[in-house]
Amino acid sequence: MSKLLTIALKDLRIAFSDTSALILMLATPFAISLAITFAFGGLGSQGGSGIEEIPVTLVNQDDGLFGELLVETFQSPELADLFAPEMLSSPQEARQRVDADESAAAVIIPAGFSDAVFQELTAGEASAEVEIYANPTRPISVSVVRSITGSVLGRINASYAAGHAAVEGLIASGLLDPQQAGEVAPQIGQRAGEQVFNARGIRVERVQVAGQREEASEFNWAGYFAPSMAIMFLMFTVTSGARTLLAERDNGTLQRIFAAPTRPWQMIGGKVLGTFLIGVLQMTILALATRFLLGVRWGPPEAVAALITAVVFAATGWGVLLAAYARSAGQVEVAGTVISLVFGAAAGNFVPRFNLPAWLQQASYISPNAWGLEGFNSLASGGALVDILPAIQALVIMGAVLFALSLLAYRRQMV
Amino acid sequence: MKVLTIALNDLKMEFSERTTLVFFLLIPLAFTFAIAQGLGGSGGSSGGPDLYPVAVVDEDGSMLAEQVIQALQKTPDLQAALLSADQAAAALEDGEALAVLTLPAGFGEALAKGQDVPVRLERASDELEARAAAQAVENGLARVDSAVQAALAAVNERRRFQDFPDAEAEQAFFDDRLDAALRTLQNPPASLRMTQSESAAGSADEIDAATQASSGQLVTWTLFTLLGVSDMFVGERLLGTLRRLIASPTRPSTVLLGKLVGRLAMGWTQMAILILFGGLVLGVNWGRSPLALLVVAVSFSLAAVAFGVMIGAFAKTRGQAGGLTTLCALLLAALGGAWWPLEITPQVYQALVKALPTTWAMFGFNEVILRGADVRAVLPEAGMMLVFAALFFIISIPRLRFA
Amino acid sequence: MSAVVELSNLVKKYGERTVVDNVSFEIRQGEIFSLLGPNGAGKTTILSMICGVVQPTSGEARIGGYSIVREPMKAKALLGVVPQEIALYDTLSARDNLFFWGRMYGMESARLKRRVEEVLELTGLRDRAKERIKTFSGGMKRRINIAAGLLHEPQILLMDEPTVGIDPQSRRAILDSVKELNAAGLTVLYTTHYMEEAQELSHRVGILDYGRLIALGTQAELTRTVGEHEALYLQLEDGQMLDQLAAELRSLPGVLEASTTDSQVIVIVSEASSALPPVLARTAGLAFKVRSVEIQEPNLEAVFLSLTGRALRDEVE
């Protein structure tokens, strides 16, 4: 047993004395997590989309109520963080801003907009149309502008519908003379409209299938990418452990270990234990660092610890399998990198998992990355140990199967 | 020419390893394909569902609930089915419904009284489709809500003139006004029209997510290849062949140039393959000006290979070179906007990452692809990348050791 | 005889450390010149300066009259280089390597083709030409290494420890090739720490120690510096601790120098017959068992010993 530990500790010492490996192991995933957190909402926040200060150009050629309303919405204090509005007087100038990529969109309210809306009340011909001139390189910003504009227009239309319904109803009930309507209608319409403008009856409670209420309807990038990067670099680390096994065979230290009375399982066990410890250490450091320095929430500590252990166990299994079947240290290096990248991409380490095709998501379950990512996501959005038990189970089985396969290979191959 | 000899020799060496092809071609192609597949599902020219399947559970049964269901069924984006609670739950889990709307008992009554009524909208997942489906349901709900409020307001106005004779009359009036309001809202007066800057695709809706992702993928994978020149330098230095090259009557500048040409040839070939593959097989729209695309790609490759030389000058072992290559490729790609769009990041972040060459590459590619820019429009971006290239070379060349 | 290589006051310093200290010598046309010295003496650095890979701190090296600093291209074209490490692309074939290096020396196609075949023939590797260097044995790699240096028919071949770590057969083959090439007119600068090689091959020898040239001349001239002295070689039984022995022997009258290596003791004496008895007596008196005794004309080893007080082999693995 102590031989096992000795070998494991030797590997740990070597791993932590190799600066370039250390950089890759720890600094890279941390740097990426840092970058991502910074990219998505700054330090200390829970994350969420950091879209802010969308530059939007406004042109209001209307001299009525509704144009003013639309402009005020974009300039409102509530939306002050989201938008950086700029008022211009010329539509051409506004479009130029967009063309020059200085603005995400130009919202152009035509002259007579409010009147056109009101005209519906009586005539019903011209339609009041707001133009949004979009910047094609900022599709997300554009969709936000569009959505806000759309909702204001929705309110305007609701008011209009209210006024229209009221006046029409009165005329139909014979309480209002069509000739009189012209004088009184605007007043009625306005009152009805005002009543309706901010009224809402239906309140939507958004729920995601896992049963958790989501705080932000936007995707939590930082919370997703911190564990994602940690897992991906874990795979790099364990395959590197595999490489050292073969490097030892190549440069003769392996034979030397066997020349001393050491059994194969002690050797393998020691290597595996070493790699396992390194992996756990690495992920723990990353989890703690991103938690305390960047405010990324991973979830309840005991659940996170259990999941980390399971993920590292499965990942180590892959590393050992690789070492068992590869012929040279060089081969392991390449195969290890390939596997790390493929698993990483397929499971959703680079591009959020839900954006990948369903078949790929299924296929990626062969990797520890997929299970780990889903598990960590679950924990980060409020889950507990009990929710990730299936994932832990799968990972433990994966690791066990891989170790068994490796032992078979080693038996045949032992130097 | 010695430069060509060295370049060809390098290429021969790279490709004498079968594993090079894996990194060079297989993985990038596979990723590009998979991501295009996945993102293509969100709509656009590469297809996607025409209708989002959703389910409605009606625990209320009132006329207003009926109105909601009808409104949703009439919504062009949705395929709304009326199901029981259990059926709906099952459909959600199986993925047959992207969202489930539950109208609770008492919904119609409370709403008609002008009260605040909560309804439950459950979304299958975080996927783009599910989000879009849920949004469409909410829009439908909003329309009904507005119509109800309008009808309520009409009732109020009516009451000002004259009270209703009885509750039935009021209800009848309300129903009638609700119909009217719903009709009005089918063709509302105020609307918006989307127009767009000069764009390669032609309409704001036509740029699909696969196209958006394509340039990011291009940048990421060619970055690995081009930064890999560092390993070549370090490897040859340790092997002793670099020293032998200098001992021969070959100028150091020739050696450097030869290696750069070899590596650039690799990078350009890779980019060409990815661009052609994306364009021909995946239907990616690479913009209107091949020349502009070329200018951006070439200037990017120069900046990248220069960065690689910088790594080669500072790294002492092949392990370091490899590790730094991976680290820098991933960081530069990610931070520069190759994996997620810059527009959703804070202003400060956007300003800071302008210090990276990849950011400018993404700007350039986006101009070409999303705006259909021509060469003149991308000259600033190309220029910046050339400046980066020059800077990296100035830093690294004096530090290059050949022995 | 004209000088093919001339070194004048060559100095190389790395910071405060002087690695090559004011070395001057010349290599004459048609000779084999050995630079002999323990590891770390500066042999490789001198070689590196001659072929322009390292810049001298001061001093000059001329090849065929061209200064390596001022006219490097012309100078390098005259040199063939066989470096200490196998500086070849091991994922490429022998032939591919040769063609590449030939082009680096500016050889044009027809001549290159002919020469590649010739050197492959010369080094006996013609039938392995298409295989990757990776698959070659140590000896074969060294032979291709040499072949690459000979391709462009240089005037002078610089060989840096070309026989390190290879089997006796390959080593023999290499030594024989060097002699053949030299017989055909090639000038050779050969660095080594193996005295036997230097002895076998060279016309003239330069002995280097700590960056300084401490002896230069033909073998006969060098051994004469040891004077009319003779050398005693005592082979002792294995496994004994010999440290004090040298010092003890040195204190005997008639003993000029003494040094021990492994189980061998070298003693430089003014006259063998009179010195031998006290040497044996003292040795036995210190409880050392002597297996055999040889009296020899001093060799290069002895020269080094008398000049430095250390054995050539002491410094070596």
Side-chain angles (χ1 to χ4, degrees), chain C residues 29-47:
Chain C
Q29 168 117 15
E31 73 172 341
I32 299 180
F33 184 99
S34 285
L35 203 52
L36 180 67
N39 283 342
K43 308 190 288 294
T44 304
T45 312
I46 289 179
L47 225 62

mmCIF file of all heavy atoms in Angstrom, chain C residues 29-47:
data_model
loop_
_atom_site.group_PDB
_atom_site.id
_atom_site.type_symbol
_atom_site.label_atom_id
_atom_site.label_comp_id
_atom_site.label_asym_id
_atom_site.label_seq_id
_atom_site.Cartn_x
_atom_site.Cartn_y
_atom_site.Cartn_z
ATOM 1 N N GLN C 29 46.211 22.383 -45.041
ATOM 2 C CA GLN C 29 45.571 21.609 -46.096
ATOM 3 C C GLN C 29 46.003 20.156 -46.066
ATOM 4 O O GLN C 29 47.172 19.844 -45.967
ATOM 5 C CB GLN C 29 45.985 22.220 -47.448
ATOM 6 C CG GLN C 29 45.638 21.392 -48.635
ATOM 7 C CD GLN C 29 44.653 22.121 -49.515
ATOM 8 O OE1 GLN C 29 44.465 23.320 -49.373
ATOM 9 N NE2 GLN C 29 44.053 21.396 -50.412
ATOM 10 N N GLY C 30 45.037 19.266 -46.137
ATOM 11 C CA GLY C 30 45.348 17.852 -46.266
ATOM 12 C C GLY C 30 45.641 17.140 -44.967
ATOM 13 O O GLY C 30 45.932 15.948 -44.965
ATOM 14 N N GLU C 31 45.582 17.840 -43.848
ATOM 15 C CA GLU C 31 45.892 17.126 -42.616
ATOM 16 C C GLU C 31 44.626 16.776 -41.857
ATOM 17 O O GLU C 31 43.557 17.319 -42.111
ATOM 18 C CB GLU C 31 46.822 17.961 -41.729
ATOM 19 C CG GLU C 31 46.150 19.151 -41.047
ATOM 20 C CD GLU C 31 47.080 19.817 -40.037
ATOM 21 O OE1 GLU C 31 48.063 19.195 -39.600
ATOM 22 O OE2 GLU C 31 46.790 20.975 -39.671
ATOM 23 N N ILE C 32 44.810 15.840 -40.912
ATOM 24 C CA ILE C 32 43.748 15.587 -39.942
ATOM 25 C C ILE C 32 44.222 16.211 -38.654
ATOM 26 O O ILE C 32 45.253 15.818 -38.102
ATOM 27 C CB ILE C 32 43.498 14.086 -39.728
ATOM 28 C CG1 ILE C 32 43.055 13.424 -41.025
ATOM 29 C CG2 ILE C 32 42.417 13.903 -38.649
ATOM 30 C CD1 ILE C 32 42.786 11.926 -40.888
ATOM 31 N N PHE C 33 43.488 17.156 -38.194
ATOM 32 C CA PHE C 33 43.863 17.867 -36.974
ATOM 33 C C PHE C 33 42.875 17.475 -35.877
ATOM 34 O O PHE C 33 41.683 17.608 -36.046
ATOM 35 C CB PHE C 33 43.797 19.377 -37.229
ATOM 36 C CG PHE C 33 44.268 20.208 -36.068
ATOM 37 C CD1 PHE C 33 45.560 20.724 -36.082
ATOM 38 C CD2 PHE C 33 43.446 20.465 -34.976
ATOM 39 C CE1 PHE C 33 46.014 21.500 -35.016
ATOM 40 C CE2 PHE C 33 43.901 21.230 -33.923
ATOM 41 C CZ PHE C 33 45.193 21.756 -33.936
ATOM 42 N N SER C 34 43.383 16.978 -34.770
ATOM 43 C CA SER C 34 42.480 16.630 -33.673
ATOM 44 C C SER C 34 42.539 17.660 -32.580
ATOM 45 O O SER C 34 43.615 18.112 -32.188
ATOM 46 C CB SER C 34 42.884 15.279 -33.063
ATOM 47 O OG SER C 34 42.506 14.240 -33.896
ATOM 48 N N LEU C 35 41.388 18.004 -32.100
ATOM 49 C CA LEU C 35 41.310 18.873 -30.938
ATOM 50 C C LEU C 35 40.917 17.966 -29.778
ATOM 51 O O LEU C 35 39.821 17.416 -29.739
ATOM 52 C CB LEU C 35 40.240 19.943 -31.195
ATOM 53 C CG LEU C 35 40.323 21.254 -30.424
ATOM 54 C CD1 LEU C 35 41.705 21.879 -30.551
ATOM 55 C CD2 LEU C 35 39.267 22.200 -30.941
ATOM 56 N N LEU C 36 41.868 17.775 -28.886
ATOM 57 C CA LEU C 36 41.667 16.806 -27.825
ATOM 58 C C LEU C 36 41.472 17.542 -26.514
ATOM 59 O O LEU C 36 42.145 18.534 -26.251
ATOM 60 C CB LEU C 36 42.904 15.899 -27.762
ATOM 61 C CG LEU C 36 42.963 14.776 -26.724
ATOM 62 C CD1 LEU C 36 41.926 13.721 -27.033
ATOM 63 C CD2 LEU C 36 44.351 14.164 -26.719
ATOM 64 N N GLY C 37 40.573 17.046 -25.682
ATOM 65 C CA GLY C 37 40.395 17.698 -24.389
ATOM 66 C C GLY C 37 39.216 17.089 -23.660
ATOM 67 O O GLY C 37 38.359 16.462 -24.291
ATOM 68 N N PRO C 38 39.203 17.241 -22.360
ATOM 69 C CA PRO C 38 38.081 16.698 -21.592
ATOM 70 C C PRO C 38 36.793 17.438 -21.899
ATOM 71 O O PRO C 38 36.797 18.487 -22.544
ATOM 72 C CB PRO C 38 38.512 16.913 -20.131
ATOM 73 C CG PRO C 38 39.507 17.999 -20.176
ATOM 74 C CD PRO C 38 40.166 17.969 -21.518
ATOM 75 N N ASN C 39 35.685 16.863 -21.416
ATOM 76 C CA ASN C 39 34.408 17.536 -21.632
ATOM 77 C C ASN C 39 34.403 18.896 -20.966
ATOM 78 O O ASN C 39 34.890 19.052 -19.855
ATOM 79 C CB ASN C 39 33.268 16.691 -21.035
ATOM 80 C CG ASN C 39 32.952 15.513 -21.940
ATOM 81 O OD1 ASN C 39 33.326 15.515 -23.098
ATOM 82 N ND2 ASN C 39 32.292 14.512 -21.389
ATOM 83 N N GLY C 40 33.855 19.853 -21.647
ATOM 84 C CA GLY C 40 33.792 21.191 -21.063
ATOM 85 C C GLY C 40 35.011 22.021 -21.351
ATOM 86 O O GLY C 40 35.111 23.162 -20.926
ATOM 87 N N ALA C 41 35.941 21.471 -22.124
ATOM 88 C CA ALA C 41 37.153 22.222 -22.398
ATOM 89 C C ALA C 41 36.915 23.346 -23.400
ATOM 90 O O ALA C 41 37.728 24.248 -23.506
ATOM 91 C CB ALA C 41 38.229 21.278 -22.928
ATOM 92 N N GLY C 42 35.839 23.261 -24.147
ATOM 93 C CA GLY C 42 35.552 24.331 -25.098
ATOM 94 C C GLY C 42 35.661 23.900 -26.542
ATOM 95 O O GLY C 42 35.598 24.727 -27.448
ATOM 96 N N LYS C 43 35.784 22.596 -26.785
ATOM 97 C CA LYS C 43 35.952 22.118 -28.152
ATOM 98 C C LYS C 43 34.767 22.480 -29.021
ATOM 99 O O LYS C 43 34.908 23.011 -30.128
ATOM 100 C CB LYS C 43 36.135 20.594 -28.157
ATOM 101 C CG LYS C 43 37.211 20.088 -27.219
ATOM 102 C CD LYS C 43 37.490 18.629 -27.460
ATOM 103 C CE LYS C 43 36.374 17.711 -26.986
ATOM 104 N NZ LYS C 43 36.183 17.711 -25.530
ATOM 105 N N THR C 44 33.560 22.183 -28.517
ATOM 106 C CA THR C 44 32.358 22.445 -29.315
ATOM 107 C C THR C 44 32.181 23.932 -29.565
ATOM 108 O O THR C 44 31.778 24.345 -30.648
ATOM 109 C CB THR C 44 31.121 21.864 -28.609
ATOM 110 O OG1 THR C 44 31.332 20.481 -28.363
ATOM 111 C CG2 THR C 44 29.879 22.075 -29.435
ATOM 112 N N THR C 45 32.518 24.744 -28.558
ATOM 113 C CA THR C 45 32.377 26.187 -28.747
ATOM 114 C C THR C 45 33.292 26.689 -29.846
ATOM 115 O O THR C 45 32.908 27.510 -30.683
ATOM 116 C CB THR C 45 32.683 26.927 -27.435
ATOM 117 O OG1 THR C 45 31.976 26.296 -26.364
ATOM 118 C CG2 THR C 45 32.279 28.373 -27.527
ATOM 119 N N ILE C 46 34.529 26.170 -29.841
ATOM 120 C CA ILE C 46 35.451 26.589 -30.897
ATOM 121 C C ILE C 46 34.903 26.197 -32.258
ATOM 122 O O ILE C 46 34.887 26.988 -33.206
ATOM 123 C CB ILE C 46 36.832 25.958 -30.679
ATOM 124 C CG1 ILE C 46 37.502 26.607 -29.469
ATOM 125 C CG2 ILE C 46 37.700 26.124 -31.924
ATOM 126 C CD1 ILE C 46 38.869 26.043 -29.161
ATOM 127 N N LEU C 47 34.423 24.971 -32.333
ATOM 128 C CA LEU C 47 33.843 24.497 -33.584
ATOM 129 C C LEU C 47 32.673 25.378 -34.002
ATOM 130 O O LEU C 47 32.525 25.740 -35.170
ATOM 131 C CB LEU C 47 33.362 23.054 -33.388
ATOM 132 C CG LEU C 47 33.728 22.105 -34.525
ATOM 133 C CD1 LEU C 47 35.218 22.006 -34.648
ATOM 134 C CD2 LEU C 47 33.106 20.746 -34.275
#
